[in-house]
């Protein structure tokens, strides 16, 4: 469900739509105008929730400023919450019971698993505490079985450089371009770049690649890293 004309949101939805079609998931795009009322948006989501032929619902966030996102998301039943953003899904994540985990946090975990980066007993610093990325990721990585020791940093964190230096894995999700430099990274650490900033020179991440790449054990590219995983994990959740 796409409301309004935000260009990045349109691109993200187009990419999710195309990936779904390519793997045999029927994806239907519901487009609503920028000025759609709260009632109209809620009704659209409610209709999808009640439709037994629909297995997953994604409401592209952010919604236009006049809309209350929480009230819209509240119409999505947990089984169809493939974006993992509703109160029920987040509650299940915290309680450690089965449910859909947010696509970006899940994508970060899948990357670590795929490249055999150990997490058990390792210190992970997650920079950024949003409900979309940082907070659920910190809970996910600290789960039994994944077993990382997680520090959740944010804009009020003191001495971020030293904190990150003590990490085996740094995940940055602030959207501040090139703010994570070699001063933050211990030699041999793994660095995962979630931030997306649009500059005159194209999309860049939170990580200053030039200084970090020579010392990191592994570093995700931006673009071409976590964004692709977000889409892939949306498919994983939908299939599940
Ligand atoms: P938010 O703006 O909601 O959160 C940003 C977080 O960064 C906040 O917790 C904020 O702290 C923290 N922060 C801001 N400044 C600093 C600082 N100087 N030092 C430490 N922490 C700081 O953004 P989102 O979480 O929604 O998204 C973050 C980035 O990730 C964006 O660039 C977004 O585009 C990108 N993104 C990428 C995805 C992908 O698939 N790769 C998917 C989703 C988002 P505080 O809470 O104190 O304000």
């Amino acid at each position: 469900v796409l409301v309004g004309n935000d260009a990045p949101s349109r691109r993200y939805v187009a990419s999710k739509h195309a990936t779904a079609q390519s793997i045999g998931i029927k994806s239907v795009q519901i487009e609503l105008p920028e000025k759609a009322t709260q009632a109209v948006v809620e009704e659209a989501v409610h209709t999808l929730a009640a439709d037994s032929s629909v297995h997953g619902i994604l409401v592209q966030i952010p919604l236009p400023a006049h809309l209350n996102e929480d009230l819209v998301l509240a119409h999505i039943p947990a089984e169809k919450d493939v974006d993992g953003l509703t109160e029920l899904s987040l509650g299940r994540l915290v309680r450690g019971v089965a449910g859909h985990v947010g696509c970006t946090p899940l994508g970060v975990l899948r990357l670590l698993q795929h490249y055999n980066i150990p997490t058990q007993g390792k210190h992970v610093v997650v920079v950024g505490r949003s409900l979309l990325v940082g907070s659920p990721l910190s809970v996910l990585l600290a789960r039994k079985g994944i077993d990382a020791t997680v520090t959740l940093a944010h804009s009020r964190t003191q001495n971020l450089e030293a904190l990150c230096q003590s990490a085996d894995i740094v995940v940055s999700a602030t959207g501040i371009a090139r703010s994570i430099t070699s001063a933050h990274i211990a030699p041999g650490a793994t660095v995962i770049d979630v931030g997306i900033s649009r500059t005159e020179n194209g999309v860049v991440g939170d990580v200053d690649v030039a200084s970090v790449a020579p010392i990191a054990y592994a570093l995700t590219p931006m673009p071409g890293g976590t964004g692709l995983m977000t889409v892939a994990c949306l498919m994983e959740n939908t299939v599940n």
Side-chain angles (χ1 to χ4, degrees):
V1 177
L2 178 62
V3 186
N5 304 313
D6 179 57
S9 290
R10 288 199 160 267
R11 273 199 296 276
Y12 297 145
V13 168
S15 157
K16 291 164 183 175
H17 185 66
T19 303
Q21 304 281 18
S22 77
I23 63 169
I25 293 173
K26 184 178 173 198
S27 167
V28 180
Q29 197 161 316
I30 310 287
E31 290 200 34
L32 297 171
E34 181 81 27
K35 291 205 159 67
T37 62
Q38 183 77 29
V40 164
V41 178
E42 285 191 39
E43 179 57 31
V45 176
H46 178 75
T47 302
L48 296 168
D51 182 344
S52 64
S53 73
V54 172
H55 300 108
I57 303 170
L58 176 131
V59 176
Q60 185 65 36
I61 301 293
L63 293 173
H66 68 281
L67 296 171
N68 181 321
E69 283 177 3
D70 291 345
L71 293 178
V72 172
L73 293 178
H75 289 276
I76 305 177
E79 321 81 69
K80 298 190 183 188
D81 179 24
V82 287
D83 225 8
L85 288 179
T86 61
E87 285 182 5
L88 209 52
S89 295
L90 288 168
R92 287 179 176 182
L93 174 65
V94 173
R95 295 188 65 131
V97 297
H100 294 310
V101 176
C103 303
T104 304
L106 186 59
V108 171
L109 176 66
R110 292 285 180 257
L111 272 170
L112 294 171
Q113 291 171 327
H114 181 80
Y115 289 100
N116 293 318
I117 312 281
T119 52
Q120 190 178 35
K122 300 298 180 185
H123 183 206
V124 182
V125 173
V126 176
V127 191
R129 60 176 163 183
S130 71
L131 280 179
L132 186 60
V133 187
S135 288
L137 179 61
S138 69
V139 174
L140 182 65
L141 293 175
R143 254 186 177 178
K144 265 196 194 312
I146 301 169
D147 297 323
T149 303
V150 182
T151 303
L152 184 56
H154 44 77
S155 67
R156 307 295 157 88
T157 295
Q158 295 183 359
N159 217 350
L160 184 66
E161 284 184 6
L163 195 63
C164 290
Q165 276 281 350
S166 73
D168 302 290
I169 300 168
V170 174
V171 184
S172 186
T174 64
I176 305 175
R178 300 196 179 98
S179 53
I180 300 293
T181 70
S182 56
H184 297 79
I185 304 301
T190 295
V191 184
I192 302 209
D193 197 348
V194 176
I196 299 173
S197 299
R198 286 176 171 70
T199 70
E200 285 174 359
N201 302 322
V203 170
V204 300
D206 289 355
V207 177
D208 177 45
V209 175
S211 72
V212 170
I215 56 171
Y217 167 70
L219 164 65
T220 59
M222 177 55 71
T226 52
L228 298 179
M229 292 307 298
T230 295
V231 177
C233 289
L234 176 65
M235 303 305 134
E236 177 180 330
N237 280 343
T238 306
V239 170
N240 285 342

